[in-house]
Amino acid sequence: MPSIYQLKPAFQNLLRPMVQRLYDKGITANQVTLLAGVVSVLVGAVVAWFANHPGVFILVPIWMLLRMALNAVDGMLAREFGQQSHLGAYLNELCDIIADAALILPFALFADASLLLVLLVTLLALFSEYAGVLGAMVGASRRYDGPMGKSDRAFVLGVLATGIALGWLGTLWVDGVMAVVAALLVYTLVNRVRHGLNQVTENAPSA
């Protein structure tokens, strides 16, 4: 399925000179991962605290873009500069789902937005990422199939938050977008499981 994740190689090429400078300064992949996770929680807390002021939601798209850049940077530092580690793998997955929850949940505090829908999206985001991780446990690759992967969620929620901040979108839009995202997350989860199983079958030695 199409996904913004497919644009990642081009995005990485733009960031490569900066990654080299970070490496030269002694910055590690794990430090970048932790920074992205911590700041995501802080941004989510600020937005939640001031959710009755719609303008605060502009922090979400700004941070989503920076977070995507940091996620690309930590991966490049790990792969291209020999910083891959078991701890890094744990930090990468855990910080991602914590950051997702921290940035999705504040939408439940906007006006009369549906708490149930926001919680559903939060849980389905976690489940879809877990399904992606399980690919490696059954002999497939870590699955990033769409149509609602991490980058896609960042884009959709960033646009939604921008509309809220500018006063263009209200509660009905929040609930509608959350319902669509939830449905696409279910589809994403199924895709990741199905493609993971197909990959295992293709990799299995023939009798």
Side-chain angles (χ1 to χ4, degrees):
M1 293 295 297
S3 172
I4 291 175
Y5 182 79
Q6 294 167 347
L7 300 176
K8 188 174 181 179
F11 192 40
Q12 288 176 329
N13 288 336
L14 292 174
L15 295 172
R16 187 159 279 109
M18 181 182 71
V19 173
Q20 179 65 58
R21 290 194 294 271
L22 290 174
Y23 174 74
D24 292 340
K25 292 179 180 296
I27 303 298
T28 69
N30 287 352
Q31 289 171 341
V32 175
T33 302
L34 285 171
L35 175 65
V38 170
V39 177
S40 293
V41 172
L42 292 176
V43 169
V46 170
V47 174
W49 188 262
F50 296 102
N52 58 324
H53 301 286
V56 76
F57 278 86
I58 198 63
L59 293 176
V60 174
I62 293 172
W63 175 243
M64 287 288 197
L65 181 60
L66 292 173
R67 179 191 168 207
M68 287 173 64
L70 290 175
N71 284 341
V73 167
D74 69 5
M76 293 168 70
L77 282 171
R79 290 188 304 274
E80 299 178 13
F81 294 94
Q83 296 183 1
Q84 289 179 312
S85 67
H86 295 305
L87 174 60
Y90 274 106
L91 289 176
N92 189 57
E93 297 295 345
L94 289 172
C95 285
D96 270 351
I97 59 175
I98 290 170
D100 268 358
L103 295 170
I104 296 171
L105 288 173
F107 285 92
L109 299 175
F110 171 69
D112 296 316
S114 170
L115 174 61
L116 178 61
L117 283 173
V118 175
L119 288 177
L120 182 61
V121 168
T122 304
L123 288 173
L124 287 172
L126 189 157
F127 296 157
S128 67
E129 292 308 310
Y130 189 56
V133 172
L134 284 174
M137 293 182 62
V138 299
S141 60
R142 202 300 189 187
R143 303 305 308 178
Y144 294 99
D145 309 278
M148 193 50 63
K150 179 175 63 178
S151 299
D152 307 290
R153 292 195 300 273
F155 176 77
V156 172
L157 296 177
V159 170
L160 178 61
T162 300
I164 291 172
L166 296 175
W168 295 348
L169 303 179
T171 303
L172 289 178
W173 271 97
V174 174
D175 290 348
V177 170
M178 289 294 170
V180 172
V181 170
L184 291 175
L185 279 169
V186 172
Y187 191 17
T188 298
L189 193 158
V190 172
N191 266 344
R192 291 183 176 186
V193 173
R194 180 164 56 89
H195 291 164
L197 292 175
N198 287 343
Q199 187 179 8
V200 172
T201 301
E202 291 169 1
N203 292 342
S206 56

